[in-house]
């Protein structure tokens, strides 16, 4: 948490989420390949739980504490889904400490929504990928600015109030600065 606060105060040290995640994804795909993922149970397309349900938070609070922070972002590379005609968006959650990917998902139903963020937050703690570690509660979460205030406001408060997890939305200034430094798009349109 202190490191995120320090980065937030000094944007010249801020590292691009996109660049770091692309590097991590390439490395992990080469290390683990398809075989490590074939038995992984992906989140269902429709889930009947809500993030404001006390049963969900009891499950999250029962998880061991991970002395790490998780960074949640998304991007599109410009591919379009043939069925829906929408851009494919890829979500990534990585460890702030080690760079390991805890979870990666995608959607073919348009720009990511609040519900996509809820699913990502829950699944990265309760059902991480096999290569991403064991189920755990992080000490903090950093949400990429592109999630937006509208999508993240309630989740930030729920994480703090219900699970004791510090959560922050990256500022627009940080997103613009890191995008400029790393030649990426601050809103995730990286094609």
């Amino acid at each position: 948490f202190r490191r995120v606060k320090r980065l937030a105060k000094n944007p010249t040290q801020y590292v691009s989420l996109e660049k770091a995640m692309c590097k991590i994804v390439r490395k992990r795909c080469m290390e683990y390949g398809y075989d490590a993922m074939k038995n992984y149970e992906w989140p269902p397309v429709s889930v009947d739980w809500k993030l404001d349900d006390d049963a969900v938070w009891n499950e999250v609070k029962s998880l061991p504490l991970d002395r790490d922070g998780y960074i949640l972002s998304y991007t599109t590379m410009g591919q379009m889904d043939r069925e829906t005609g929408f851009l494919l968006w890829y979500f990534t959650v990585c460890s702030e400490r080690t760079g390991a990917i805890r979870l990666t998902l995608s959607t073919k139903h348009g720009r990511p929504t609040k519900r996509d963020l809820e699913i990502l937050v829950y699944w990265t703690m309760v059902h991480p990928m096999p290569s991403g570690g064991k189920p755990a509660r992080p000490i903090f979460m950093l949400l990429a600015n592109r999630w937006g205030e509208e999508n993240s406001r309630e989740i930030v408060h729920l994480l703090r109030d219900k699970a004791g997890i510090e959560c922050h939305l990256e500022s627009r200034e940080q997103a613009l600065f890191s995008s400029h430094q790393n030649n990426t798009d601050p809103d995730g349109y990286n094609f």
Side-chain angles (χ1 to χ4, degrees), residues 28-178:
R28 294 296 182 223
C29 286
M30 290 170 49
E31 285 177 8
Y32 297 103
Y34 172 75
D35 289 341
M37 302 308 296
K38 67 183 176 186
N39 295 322
Y40 181 66
E41 178 190 336
W42 293 98
V45 174
S46 67
V47 286
D48 58 358
W49 51 266
K50 294 281 188 198
L51 206 54
D52 60 358
D53 182 356
D54 284 337
V56 169
W57 292 110
N58 289 336
E59 182 179 14
V60 168
K61 286 191 287 189
S62 73
L63 297 172
L65 186 63
D66 184 356
R67 295 264 173 225
D68 195 1
Y70 302 159
I71 301 170
L72 292 77
S73 189
Y74 64 83
T75 191
T76 183
M77 313 297 187
Q79 298 99 332
M80 191 170 289
D81 181 67
R82 292 177 194 225
E83 290 176 20
T84 65
F86 289 115
L87 287 173
L88 294 172
W89 291 89
Y90 303 95
F91 312 127
T92 306
V93 180
C94 64
S95 159
E96 191 271 337
R97 185 173 35 98
T98 66
I101 294 178
R102 286 202 46 92
L103 187 65
T104 183
L105 301 172
S106 64
T107 184
K108 60 182 182 175
H109 301 288
R111 192 164 175 89
T113 64
K114 176 182 172 186
R115 186 64 178 150
D116 293 321
L117 181 56
E118 289 177 347
I119 291 168
L120 196 61
V121 163
Y122 176 77
W123 276 79
T124 197
M125 291 186 284
V126 179
H127 301 287
M129 296 187 322
S131 60
K134 297 182 187 229
R137 244 177 337 123
I139 56 173
F140 74 87
M141 286 191 184
L142 176 64
L143 309 179
N145 177 264
R146 62 191 61 150
W147 284 108
E149 181 70 27
E150 186 71 26
N151 288 335
S152 61
R153 183 182 317 115
E154 182 182 5
I155 293 167
V156 166
H157 293 294
L158 284 170
L159 284 165
R160 286 182 190 159
D161 299 342
K162 301 271 189 175
I165 299 170
E166 281 297 317
C167 186
H168 300 278
L169 180 66
E170 173 190 41
S171 74
R172 186 66 180 167
E173 292 77 25
Q174 290 169 327
L176 290 170
F177 180 81
S178 63

